[in-house]
Amino acid sequence: MNKLLKELQEAALQRETRRHFLHTCTTGLGAMALGSTLTSCGFFGGKEEKTALTATSASGEPMTPRPSQFSPKAKRVIYIHMAGSPSQLELFDYKPELVKYHGKDCPQELLEGKKFAFIRGVPKMLGPQGKFAQHGQSGAWISDYLPHLQTVADEITFIKSMHTDQFNHAPAQLLMHTGAARLGRPSIGSWVTYGLGSENDNLPGFIVLASGGKQPDAGKSVWGSGFLPTVYQGVQCRTDGDPVLYVSDPKGMNRDIRKQTIEAINDINQQQYDDVKDPEILTRISQYEMAFKMQMSVPDAMDIKSEPEYILNAYGVDPNKGSFARNCLLSRRLIERGVRFVQLFDWGWDTHGTSKDGSIETGLRDKCTTSDQAVTALLNDLKQRGLLDETLVVWGGEFGRTPMQENRDGQTLPFMGRDHHLDAFTVWMAGGGVKRGFSYGETDPIGYYAVKDKVHVHDLQATILHLLGFDHSKLTYQFQGRPFRLTDVAGKVVKSVLA
């Protein structure tokens, strides 16, 4: 109790700041200064750009479910990002013409004026290493690297004409997930929960599951909230130990005591909000309450041992070990419980050819082996449960791979590998309002350039938001004097992939 009284005294002292003086200044100058500050931070929406947050802040419930701008096809998203970027030329973009050039010097016209992450000098061309065949009634080209995915080809829309502006991992991942190559912008999952709120009072609206042994190159910024209130940032759950750090009660503290503590802290926070109207205080209140609720809901959601054996076998999951397959199963369990956006990151898809594990012929095959069954099981599981029609599944990396074999300082590497490539790569989507069994866009005969129906990263983002019921140009947040959006000042909906 003494500790709580001390915290109350400290909170009162903190309110006696320059901000507090300006807020209470009788000349009106202080209120004007404070108003301009809060407006630049997004607290007040303009007449034309009134935000969803502004409408809900007064109620103190920033995660209250909200309707989209128009009737959506999808209600939730599972975004599967293969960090490092798999080679589209080994998996989906079949280029028999490239076989003819295998082992030959790369033509100069493909090198002049180009920048590569590692290639220097004149590299050799590298033919596709996968064995391709057409699958399903759609006749989609999928290689033998992904034998399980071949069986669900008719559920998928392949976008083969993706292109980006960045050829290094961190900025490319930031661009893909936040719409900008620099730090500080909200991730797509944050934008979605900002726009729609959450359907579950006991779990975060945006949950992240990572595998592969490392975090993405861009770090946790790819699921951060940027300048949006932090209540909208992704919450990373672990697959070993406590799903969330400190979710268990401390030793010697029972649940009733913890509840009383949180209520007392939030009473102090509410007093501070009533005084200064800082929306971040509402975030703090919401997060304290959510943390308390998560003590019960998170362990239940993450307990896959309750799943029947045939489901575990379908995903290829060992219930006692963390893995990408486990995360795929968890993503289904989470969206069943009303989580709005589930982000899966799997590290290790960077196949330069500098090592056996990082090669096209071995490393890529191994990564496909550990993921193919689980991704396919996820699509089948969602469909069987009637969830796929309202769940948008997105799969892809941050850029593509070159049709040339990577070299370093003009020297051929010991294993087959491909450098980063920004002019052509493949992303696929399923469920949630996209066409079934459809391929969109084309690359040239060797897979170097997207040449038909090109799709930029911002176009993909605009399409995802459209499927969730948003005009991407109108889902905005006022920050530093202007409305910001996920797609910056670009992006168009790829209407041809919509069902």
Side-chain angles (χ1 to χ4, degrees), residues 142-458:
I142 304 176
S143 83
D144 62 339
Y145 277 54
L146 299 169
H148 293 277
L149 198 72
Q150 293 172 352
T151 66
V152 292
D154 286 340
E155 297 295 335
I156 295 172
T157 279
F158 296 93
I159 302 178
K160 297 185 177 181
S161 53
M162 289 294 305
H163 65 103
T164 182
D165 304 330
Q166 303 293 326
F167 61 67
N168 285 320
H169 293 294
Q173 289 169 3
L174 286 170
L175 180 62
M176 180 64 75
H177 293 283
T178 73
R182 292 181 292 179
L183 297 170
R185 297 289 185 89
S187 63
I188 185 170
S190 296
W191 279 110
V192 170
T193 50
Y194 161 71
L196 293 176
S198 177
E199 295 180 318
N200 190 312
D201 293 334
N202 301 318
L203 288 168
F206 177 15
I207 289 181
V208 180
L209 302 168
S211 56
K214 293 184 180 180
Q215 300 282 7
D217 299 80
K220 297 182 179 181
S221 295
V222 288
W223 60 79
S225 58
F227 46 70
L228 292 178
T230 51
V231 70
Y232 300 114
Q233 74 182 6
V235 175
Q236 185 178 4
C237 289
R238 307 186 306 164
T239 52
D240 293 312
D242 278 347
V244 178
L245 292 175
Y246 314 117
V247 73
S248 302
D249 286 323
K251 188 176 181 180
M253 177 178 282
N254 62 38
R255 189 162 176 79
D256 288 338
I257 295 175
R258 194 165 190 176
K259 181 179 180 181
Q260 293 172 11
T261 302
I262 290 173
E263 288 175 346
I265 292 171
N266 278 351
D267 285 344
I268 296 169
N269 285 330
Q270 187 63 49
Q271 291 177 34
Q272 188 174 24
Y273 174 74
D274 292 341
D275 190 14
V276 302
K277 302 300 183 183
D278 183 348
E280 194 62 24
I281 299 172
L282 295 180
T283 290
R284 193 185 312 154
I285 293 171
S286 177
Q287 288 175 330
Y288 270 115
E289 293 173 347
M290 177 60 70
F292 180 71
K293 295 173 182 177
M294 284 169 60
Q295 285 188 280
M296 301 297 289
S297 58
V298 168
D300 172 68
M302 304 292 282
D303 181 18
I304 65 170
K305 292 181 180 178
S306 61
E307 292 284 343
E309 187 175 357
Y310 78 91
I311 289 291
L312 298 177
N313 291 338
Y315 282 85
V317 171
D318 181 341
N320 298 309
K321 293 181 180 179
S323 65
F324 173 79
R326 181 190 181 100
N327 288 351
C328 285
L329 176 53
L330 287 173
S331 69
R332 187 267 290 166
R333 291 176 61 85
L334 290 169
I335 64 107
E336 276 186 315
R337 288 162 171 76
V339 175
R340 184 76 70 183
F341 200 102
V342 181
Q343 178 78 65
L344 272 60
F345 283 99
D346 187 51
W347 186 88
W349 292 82
D350 197 19
T351 48
H352 288 281
T354 54
S355 66
K356 187 176 181 180
D357 289 342
S359 68
I360 292 291
E361 66 268 37
T362 302
L364 181 59
R365 278 195 181 274
D366 289 346
K367 291 300 293 184
C368 288
T369 298
T370 59
S371 65
D372 178 38
Q373 178 180 346
V375 170
T376 304
L378 174 61
L379 294 181
N380 285 327
D381 200 6
L382 292 172
K383 185 177 181 180
Q384 290 166 3
R385 294 169 187 268
L387 295 169
L388 187 58
D389 287 343
E390 294 184 341
T391 304
L392 178 65
V393 181
V394 184
W395 183 102
E398 59 264 31
F399 43 59
R401 315 302 297 203
T402 59
M404 303 87 80
Q405 182 172 354
E406 184 174 326
N407 61 14
R408 297 283 175 98
D409 298 321
Q411 301 298 313
T412 302
L413 295 173
F415 299 93
M416 293 183 188
R418 301 185 187 273
D419 202 355
H420 308 166
H421 191 50
L422 51 79
D423 291 314
F425 63 107
T426 298
V427 166
W428 63 254
M429 299 189 289
V434 299
K435 290 179 178 177
R436 299 172 63 245
F438 183 66
S439 290
Y440 182 78
E442 294 179 14
T443 56
D444 62 33
I446 62 170
Y448 194 77
Y449 291 108
V451 294
K452 181 182 178 182
D453 298 326
K454 296 175 67 173
V455 178
H456 188 266
V457 168
H458 287 138

